[in-house]
Amino acid sequence: MKEFSEIELCLEEITNEFLKRTNKIGDPLKAATIYQETVDELSIKLVQIVPVKSLFIFANQYIDSFRSQECDNEAEEVKVKAKIEILERALKVKSEEYLRELVPINRNIAQHALFSANPKNIPNQSTTTVNGVRSVHIKNNTGEVLTTYEARVMGAIQSLWFKQNVDGKPYVELKYADILNELGLTDGSANYKRVQEALIRLMRIEVTLTQYQRSKESEYEEIAFTRLIDQIIFRRKVGTTSHFQYKFQIRLPEWLVEANRVGNLFDISLILMNDLKSYLAQGLYWLVSSYPEESTVKFELQTLAGHFHFLDDNEPIMQVYKIVERIKSACIELQAVGFIERFEFKGKKQGLHGRYLTVTKHPIFLNTLAQTKETIPEQLQFFNDPS
């Protein structure tokens, strides 16, 4: 690709500058300091020159090939090592921007199939059961669904709650502009309206979390009937018909406040989410992030399709190849922003059952060293909603 050729040329020039500035320094301690300072400086320069998504895609393709490259002489080996260090540091510089302000999210919110990547209302269907990593029952008279935009708004509310509530009160005082600032979006009435609509959906839609866990190490699973927002209070002066103030109060449900206290949480970057264009990429980012200790996460495609509402009564709502293409495109987006290093499909070649997606995160997004993957518990059987 022409774009990659330009990046390669840019990397070559920066590497030559690096070698020129670090060559033949007698004092080993001074040499090590200058070496690291120069790597840091020139990697920042690379980030400033090359668009970040192009940089991630280029680095994901080229770092492994650089490592496996056989060098003809010592000088060439030194240059290849320098290229790898500059590229890896450049990726870390951009990743640190994503990680600068992380938002703690409850695992139950991410691992229950709450948010749709197929955001269409379901007319005349007030209740529905969605089978995903953990199944959820959704009740809403309008047939509306929660999308990953609502997930992002929920993340912003969580972030503001943590910033304000050192004493753990169940409510948070905020303005529309506060939420938009957390999301990295521009201030303005159009975005106010969209945020307000998202807040109303988060409050109105009843959900049943079929495998609710109070903490990661919980001995028991529970069934929780709840909403993600318990109450919204808008204000205006008594006796007036003027618009409600932009400042308002949101009260979180008791289970979420308690979860925030005890720490059944994982971290996400709302800024990174803002760089993901598709609902599915945003939702997959949440889901994969909810396994913070694991470098590699594996899902059956049937589970993923259900989790993001691409199934109806366990049957695909569109042709299977289209669902697989959407999942693949979402992975490419996550790779482009550097969240995952690689992904692959394994198992059966057709259908969704017995066909698996495995994604490997970039190490910087791991909370701890990789641990053995816990088996996802078997779904609890639940009765049908009588309404």
Side-chain angles (χ1 to χ4, degrees):
M1 292 174 62
K2 181 182 178 183
E3 185 179 17
F4 279 10
S5 299
E6 293 171 355
I7 297 173
E8 200 161 8
L9 181 61
C10 180
L11 179 62
E12 180 76 17
E13 291 174 356
I14 284 176
T15 304
N16 288 337
E17 181 180 349
F18 169 80
L19 294 173
K20 183 178 178 181
R21 288 166 57 176
T22 57
N23 191 31
K24 295 180 180 178
I25 301 173
D27 184 343
L29 185 60
K30 184 178 179 181
T33 302
I34 292 175
Y35 188 95
Q36 190 56 56
E37 288 176 351
T38 309
V39 167
D40 292 346
E41 179 188 336
L42 295 179
S43 61
I44 292 172
K45 182 177 179 181
L46 185 64
V47 169
Q48 291 170 342
I49 294 171
V50 179
V52 64
K53 289 190 178 182
S54 300
L55 179 62
F56 273 114
I57 293 171
F58 173 86
N60 285 329
Q61 292 190 21
Y62 279 80
I63 285 178
D64 286 343
S65 65
F66 281 145
R67 284 199 175 111
S68 60
Q69 183 176 321
E70 291 188 9
C71 302
D72 296 330
N73 52 60
E74 185 178 349
E76 186 64 27
E77 187 175 341
V78 169
K79 176 179 274 193
V80 167
K81 182 184 176 185
K83 283 183 178 179
I84 293 171
E85 287 201 45
I86 291 168
L87 270 177
E88 288 182 335
R89 180 59 186 152
L91 296 184
K92 190 175 181 182
V93 166
K94 186 58 187 179
S95 297
E96 284 171 351
E97 181 180 316
Y98 286 140
L99 297 175
R100 193 164 53 238
E101 284 198 42
L102 293 174
V103 177
I105 298 294
N106 184 262
R107 289 174 192 258
N108 292 288
I109 293 178
Q111 293 184 4
H112 283 86
L114 291 165
F115 301 105
S116 173
N118 183 50
K120 295 179 181 178
N121 289 357
I122 308 171
N124 304 319
Q125 189 170 333
S126 60
T127 62
T128 184
T129 298
V130 185
N131 295 311
V133 174
R134 298 183 186 184
S135 295
V136 67
H137 306 288
I138 300 171
K139 184 175 181 179
N140 185 29
N141 293 334
T142 66
E144 288 181 296
V145 296
L146 294 172
T147 72
T148 50
Y149 182 79
E150 277 76 59
R152 291 164 64 196
V153 170
M154 193 68 215
I157 293 167
Q158 276 278 101
S159 179
L160 292 165
W161 186 90
F162 273 100
K163 288 176 180 178
Q164 288 187 20
N165 275 285
V166 291
D167 53 356
K169 293 177 182 176
Y171 58 83
V172 57
E173 300 274 354
L174 70 168
K175 302 187 291 290
Y176 294 113
D178 296 332
I179 292 177
L180 293 174
N181 183 59
E182 293 294 322
L183 295 175
L185 299 176
T186 56
D187 200 358
S189 58
N191 277 331
Y192 288 177
K193 183 175 184 293
R194 193 179 182 196
V195 166
Q196 186 182 75
E197 290 170 348
L199 292 173
I200 297 300
R201 279 192 290 273
L202 286 165
M203 186 191 67
R204 282 182 178 167
I205 296 178
E206 298 177 40
V207 296
T208 304
L209 309 180
T210 63
Q211 290 180 260
Y212 170 66
Q213 289 178 267
R214 293 184 179 273
S215 68
K216 187 183 174 185
E217 291 80 21
S218 292
E219 184 179 356
Y220 297 100
E221 294 175 348
E222 302 172 4
I223 295 176
F225 296 81
T226 187
R227 290 179 172 88
L228 297 185
I229 290 178
D230 191 42
Q231 186 181 65
I232 305 174
I233 301 175
F234 295 101
R235 296 187 182 93
R236 68 182 174 198
K237 288 186 177 179
V238 175
T240 71
T241 57
S242 60
H243 291 296
F244 288 98
Q245 295 176 348
Y246 285 139
K247 188 172 183 177
F248 50 93
Q249 183 188 100
I250 289 176
R251 182 177 290 269
L252 299 180
E254 183 180 346
W255 71 268
L256 184 53
V257 174
E258 179 62 22
N260 288 343
R261 289 185 185 128
V262 301
N264 187 20
L265 306 167
F266 67 96
D267 292 331
I268 62 158
S269 165
L270 293 175
I271 303 302
L272 186 152
M273 251 182 130
N274 203 40
D275 281 349
L276 298 171
K277 302 308 176 189
S278 73
Y279 279 124
L280 184 53
Q282 293 170 8
L284 193 57
Y285 168 61
W286 269 59
L287 181 58
V288 173
S289 295
S290 71
Y291 300 89
E293 299 88 0
E294 300 175 36
S295 59
T296 300
V297 185
K298 180 180 178 181
F299 301 103
E300 187 182 35
L301 296 196
Q302 179 76 9
T303 299
L304 278 184
H307 195 87
F308 296 114
H309 302 209
F310 289 121
L311 302 180
D312 183 15
D313 198 21
N314 283 328
E315 293 298 322
I317 61 173
M318 63 183 73
Q319 292 172 299
V320 168
Y321 83 88
K322 289 185 178 180
I323 295 176
V324 176
E325 281 301 313
R326 289 195 183 190
I327 294 172
K328 181 179 179 181
S329 295
C331 290
I332 290 170
E333 276 197 73
L334 291 173
Q335 199 172 44
V337 297
F339 176 63
I340 63 175
E341 286 191 319
R342 66 185 69 88
F343 66 93
E344 60 180 336
F345 294 96
K346 285 188 174 181
K348 293 182 179 178
K349 301 298 182 184
Q350 303 294 327
L352 297 171
H353 286 289
R355 198 171 177 184
Y356 296 88
L357 168 70
T358 302
V359 299
T360 302
K361 301 177 200 171
H362 191 285
I364 199 171
F365 289 95
L366 290 175
N367 281 13
T368 63
L369 293 176
Q371 299 176 356
T372 304
K373 181 173 173 59
E374 298 173 351
T375 304
I376 296 172
E378 184 179 348
Q379 292 292 336
L380 294 176
Q381 295 299 314
F382 194 66
F383 53 83
N384 292 326
D385 192 309
S387 61

